[in-house]
Amino acid sequence: MYTFNPGPSQVYPQVRQYLQDAFDEGWLSAPHRGERFVQLVRQTVQELKTKLNIPQDYTVFFMSSATESWEVLAQSLTPTKSFHLYNGAFGQKWYEAAKSLRPASVGHKFGIDEVPDVDKLPGLDDQTDLVCITQNETGTTTQLRDGVVLNMYNRLPSRALLAVDATSSMAGIQLKFIKGDIWFSSVQKCFGLPAGLSVMVLSPRAVERLRKINERSHYNSLPDQYDKMLNFQTTHTPNVLGIYLLSRSIHDNPPIKTTHQHVVERATKLYDYFDQATQLRPLVTNPETRSHTVIGLKGTPALIDEVKRRALAQDLFIGSGYGDLKPTSVRIANFPAIPDAAFEQLVQFFAREFS
Ligand SMILES: *Cc1c(COP(=O)(O)O)cnc(C)c1O
């Protein structure tokens, strides 16, 4: 059985052994204030920075989910309002989460085949604390290329920081962390691990800001988390098993550059195939806005149903479309933990049954 569901997604096969080792090595009852745990966090942070090319002077935080990151950013880094540029369900949910805490927050929606023009964004003004973008929109299977993120970063209003939701791309493709202040992801997507842990990284500028704002009224307020992270600890009992699995997996995986090449090549081949050879078509028409890590395909509701049903009967679990797009699309995760053999089976399935 292979799953192409874009989260929770197929985990690395090594996870089976890591879980056994975690049990045998006593991690499941390890005290989270003890030297052994502190060592594990220190090592995991270092390895994440090395393998993913995160600048050394950025600070890494562990939380429970990307959703928690949305909330924490509104609490601790948004005294007035945030600005949200989005084209799908996850970006919109982030906007709604921010708006419920900071009602002055503003959203701007763009089309799935559109490269957003960051020069003309209505509502983006000098009162904006945080500009929020979704680097890979898992709902619409689109991606903002490096150039768009860079332009956004270069055009930030005076006091704004750039926050990037990279939940379904971090650890799958190479990200230019230096061109953003806040990046976050949860591990059940491209990290190929079980859910319940997220990674958030902050630039020195973002750390300086959170210390200045000094919002401390929540259990997960960023200044408290920051104080603890100085000693590689957390404010509350963390997901020790999740951090252990992450440390093992990141250690055994190649540098992001290698993974990136593999993922992008595989995406290119898949888009080429679906552009011509099947009854389904890529959901996103513009090659410049297509995601490398989540591939959307569209068809009539009857065809979509049939594809999912017949694939499942052959042990291939294809992800449903998301939100409004559910009846007319499917999503195929192109995450690094899914082996090439799975994609060969998938393409053979389409060639045989839906060409
Ligand atoms: C999956 C996903 C989320 C939500 O992640 P959780 O860990 O469930 O909170 C947020 N943003 C994007 C882009 C996602 O793909």
Side-chain angles (χ1 to χ4, degrees), residues 6-8 64-70 89-91 93-94 133-139 165-169 184-189 195-198 294 322 331 335:
S64 64
S65 64
T67 304
E68 186 183 358
S69 300
W70 294 343
F90 287 98
K93 277 192 196 174
W94 185 3
I133 57 176
T134 305
Q135 196 271 343
N136 198 77
E137 174 51 77
T138 323
D165 182 339
T167 304
S168 53
S169 53
F184 56 87
S185 173
S186 34
V187 300
Q188 75 276 16
K189 310 271 169 89
L197 180 72
S198 71
V294 186
Y322 199 84
R331 293 177 305 157
F335 294 166

Side-chain angles (χ1 to χ4, degrees), residues 72-123:
V72 161
L73 291 173
Q75 285 167 9
S76 298
L77 277 169
T78 315
T80 306
K81 67 174 190 180
S82 47
F83 177 87
H84 300 255
L85 179 63
Y86 65 92
N87 77 1
F90 287 98
Q92 184 173 344
K93 277 192 196 174
W94 185 3
Y95 169 42
E96 283 159 10
K99 209 172 155 71
S100 70
L101 290 173
R102 300 292 180 261
S105 296
V106 175
H108 180 78
K109 193 170 180 181
F110 62 100
I112 68 171
D113 290 304
E114 186 187 338
V115 177
D117 180 357
V118 301
D119 283 334
K120 298 189 208 86
L121 293 172

Side-chain angles (χ1 to χ4, degrees), residues 29-35 37-38 41 232-238 240:
S29 330
H32 64 291
R33 302 281 174 227
E35 186 49 33
F37 175 72
V38 167
V41 175
F232 299 100
Q233 293 195 21
T234 50
T235 47
H236 53 283
T237 320
V240 178

Side-chain angles (χ1 to χ4, degrees), residues 9-293:
S9 60
Q10 173 112 12
V11 298
Y12 280 105
Q14 300 91 301
V15 169
R16 185 188 167 96
Q17 185 63 48
Y18 301 158
L19 284 168
Q20 175 89 49
D21 294 346
F23 188 96
D24 293 347
E25 294 169 14
W27 285 106
L28 303 189
S29 330
H32 64 291
R33 302 281 174 227
E35 186 49 33
R36 196 163 170 240
F37 175 72
V38 167
Q39 258 323 105
L40 173 70
V41 175
R42 187 201 308 273
Q43 187 191 319
T44 310
V45 166
Q46 194 44 55
E47 200 118 40
L48 272 172
K49 286 184 177 176
T50 311
K51 286 285 173 68
L52 299 186
N53 282 341
I54 299 169
Q56 284 298 338
D57 59 359
Y58 276 43
T59 305
V60 175
F61 295 86
F62 295 113
M63 293 179 212
S64 64
S65 64
T67 304
E68 186 183 358
S69 300
W70 294 343
E71 182 147 314
V72 161
L73 291 173
Q75 285 167 9
S76 298
L77 277 169
T78 315
T80 306
K81 67 174 190 180
S82 47
F83 177 87
H84 300 255
L85 179 63
Y86 65 92
N87 77 1
F90 287 98
Q92 184 173 344
K93 277 192 196 174
W94 185 3
Y95 169 42
E96 283 159 10
K99 209 172 155 71
S100 70
L101 290 173
R102 300 292 180 261
S105 296
V106 175
H108 180 78
K109 193 170 180 181
F110 62 100
I112 68 171
D113 290 304
E114 186 187 338
V115 177
D117 180 357
V118 301
D119 283 334
K120 298 189 208 86
L121 293 172
L124 178 55
D125 60 26
D126 286 344
Q127 300 305 303
T128 308
D129 300 300
L130 207 61
V131 171
C132 302
I133 57 176
T134 305
Q135 196 271 343
N136 198 77
E137 174 51 77
T138 323
T140 51
T141 67
T142 59
Q143 183 186 312
L144 296 174
R145 296 286 189 264
D146 289 345
V148 179
V149 180
L150 175 64
N151 283 342
M152 192 74 250
Y153 188 68
N154 288 339
R155 281 165 183 70
L156 290 176
S158 55
R159 70 161 191 243
L161 300 172
L162 182 61
V164 189
D165 182 339
T167 304
S168 53
S169 53
M170 191 188 291
I173 57 169
Q174 185 151 16
L175 299 168
K176 297 224 162 40
F177 290 98
I178 193 105
K179 299 303 175 193
D181 295 292
I182 298 133
W183 299 78
F184 56 87
S185 173
S186 34
V187 300
Q188 75 276 16
K189 310 271 169 89
C190 286
F191 284 91
L193 292 169
L197 180 72
S198 71
V199 174
M200 182 154 104
V201 302
L202 262 63
S203 70
R205 200 160 80 121
V207 167
E208 193 186 316
R209 185 74 52 83
L210 74 87
R211 294 178 69 179
K212 193 160 150 230
I213 298 170
N214 202 33
E215 180 281 315
R216 292 184 186 263
S217 43
H218 301 272
Y219 86 99
N220 53 6
S221 289
L222 271 177
D224 296 325
Q225 296 204 56
Y226 178 74
D227 291 347
K228 286 285 185 229
M229 257 335 252
L230 288 173
N231 298 314
F232 299 100
Q233 293 195 21
T234 50
T235 47
H236 53 283
T237 320
N239 182 349
V240 178
L241 174 61
I243 295 172
Y244 174 82
L245 297 176
L246 176 62
S247 87
R248 289 290 303 272
S249 162
I250 208 85
H251 178 82
D252 290 348
N253 273 322
I256 191 64
K257 196 167 172 235
T258 309
T259 307
H260 176 102
Q261 269 172 10
H262 184 216
V263 164
V264 172
E265 269 170 33
R266 207 161 63 179
T268 308
K269 278 194 211 152
L270 288 165
Y271 281 119
D272 284 350
Y273 176 74
F274 287 110
D275 264 331
Q276 10 181 313
T278 68
Q279 297 173 36
L280 294 170
R281 283 285 172 271
L283 172 64
V284 180
T285 317
N286 184 350
E288 278 309 296
T289 63
R290 284 175 177 173
S291 166
H292 290 125
T293 51

